[in-house]
Amino acid sequence: MMLSFLLASVALNLGNQVLFDLFCGPYWNQLTKEERNGYSQFYFAGQNVDPVTLVELSSCISREAKRLKDRRMKVLFLVISKSGTTIEPVTAVRGLKKLLADVCGIHLMAITDKEKGRIRPVAEKEHFPCFTVPDGIGGRFSIFSQVGLVFASLAGIDIESFLKGAQMVEEACQSNDIKENPALLLAALKYIATKKYDITAEVIMPYGDKFRSFGWWYAQLLGEFLGKNMICRGTWCTTVVFR
């Protein structure tokens, strides 16, 4: 039996959470191995340093591992950190390794900066796979790089179709026609709402359960990008996510 953990900060986590929710669904871990086409179960951790969550998660995994009397459960930690020192995922890895080492066979895989990532020398020493967070791409925008594609491959997501969809959207966003360019239309509406009507709050309501994490991701993207810029100009922008 194989379990996979994605351990990353919020910026590097939410995009992959969206991929998992959309393509795998909320009940993926309840499916049989055959129904998952041989792909592993997935758990997300490392977004914060909450010890209660890590202990409860490790307890559940330990109980499941002890039921496998004839074989040892395999656990893969996919650690994503550009610097390799981000406290949330690093703490999660250390904690989970300590809690699960006696009952599981633990394997590591990492995605970090190609030169400055502190995980890379460890990966070379211990001979586990290490991929790259590309230069010039913020973590929150990195889903179409190795940050998202490595996870997608582990989950059995059709990467080629995923990237073709992204290409279609990118091409649409090159148009100067606001009726054909969704990014231009959204930007215009936000600008008018802010400048003309002094509206700086936004509500997003993803009615489908599979889109729940998309709401969180959207709020994080807006807050990290437009929000910081507007704060510098004395304006606050916020997004509220409802289920």
Side-chain angles (χ1 to χ4, degrees):
M1 185 175 182
M2 181 72 178
L3 301 181
S4 295
F5 289 81
L6 188 144
L7 306 162
S9 63
V10 172
L12 292 164
N13 179 293
L14 281 175
N16 282 313
Q17 180 75 64
V18 172
L19 289 182
F20 178 78
D21 289 349
L22 288 176
F23 289 97
C24 300
Y27 306 112
W28 175 263
N29 289 347
Q30 279 67 53
L31 300 177
T32 65
K33 182 178 179 180
E34 290 72 24
E35 290 171 329
R36 298 193 308 271
N37 293 319
Y39 292 99
S40 74
Q41 297 175 338
F42 283 94
Y43 295 91
F44 291 78
Q47 307 95 312
N48 54 49
V49 290
D50 182 2
V52 176
T53 298
L54 290 180
V55 170
E56 290 179 348
L57 176 58
S58 66
S59 296
C60 291
I61 301 306
S62 295
R63 286 195 299 270
E64 186 66 26
K66 290 175 182 177
R67 295 192 185 104
L68 302 176
K69 297 180 180 180
D70 58 336
R71 61 191 187 280
R72 190 173 176 85
M73 179 181 287
K74 297 179 181 179
V75 171
L76 172 66
F77 291 154
L78 173 59
V79 186
I80 310 177
S81 172
K82 187 174 179 66
S83 66
T85 60
T86 312
I87 188 170
E88 294 91 347
V90 170
T91 300
V93 171
R94 291 176 177 173
L96 288 171
K97 284 182 68 175
K98 183 176 181 179
L99 292 167
L100 296 175
D102 291 338
V103 294
C104 300
I106 295 175
H107 305 269
L108 292 173
M109 184 180 291
I111 307 176
T112 190
D113 187 87
K114 64 180 179 181
E115 295 179 354
K116 299 178 181 178
R118 296 287 293 275
I119 303 175
R120 192 167 293 278
V122 179
E124 293 174 354
K125 181 180 179 180
E126 299 186 11
H127 306 290
F128 61 80
C130 190
F131 299 90
T132 300
V133 178
D135 293 333
I137 300 179
R140 57 193 178 274
F141 303 115
S142 61
I143 196 66
F144 297 103
S145 71
Q146 293 183 39
V147 172
L149 300 183
V150 170
F151 169 76
S153 66
L154 292 173
I157 296 170
D158 187 342
I159 293 176
E160 185 175 351
S161 296
F162 175 57
L163 292 177
K164 283 183 178 179
Q167 183 180 4
M168 290 174 59
V169 174
E170 182 182 16
E171 291 172 355
C173 291
Q174 302 301 315
S175 174
N176 292 324
D177 187 345
I178 197 169
K179 296 180 180 179
E180 297 180 359
N181 187 331
L184 182 60
L185 175 60
L186 182 61
L189 292 174
K190 287 180 181 292
Y191 182 83
I192 293 170
T194 302
K195 292 297 184 180
K196 187 173 182 179
Y197 299 102
D198 198 29
I199 296 174
T200 57
E202 183 173 344
V203 176
I204 180 170
M205 298 181 68
Y207 286 93
D209 286 341
K210 287 189 174 184
F211 285 92
R212 179 182 60 174
S213 57
F214 175 78
W216 299 337
W217 188 35
Y218 177 81
Q220 202 263 347
L221 289 171
L222 188 70
E224 288 286 333
F225 187 61
L226 293 180
K228 287 182 177 178
N229 290 336
M230 295 180 76
I231 289 171
C232 293
R233 299 197 298 270
T235 306
W236 173 248
C237 179
T238 185
T239 302
V240 180
V241 183
F242 286 100
R243 285 191 62 190

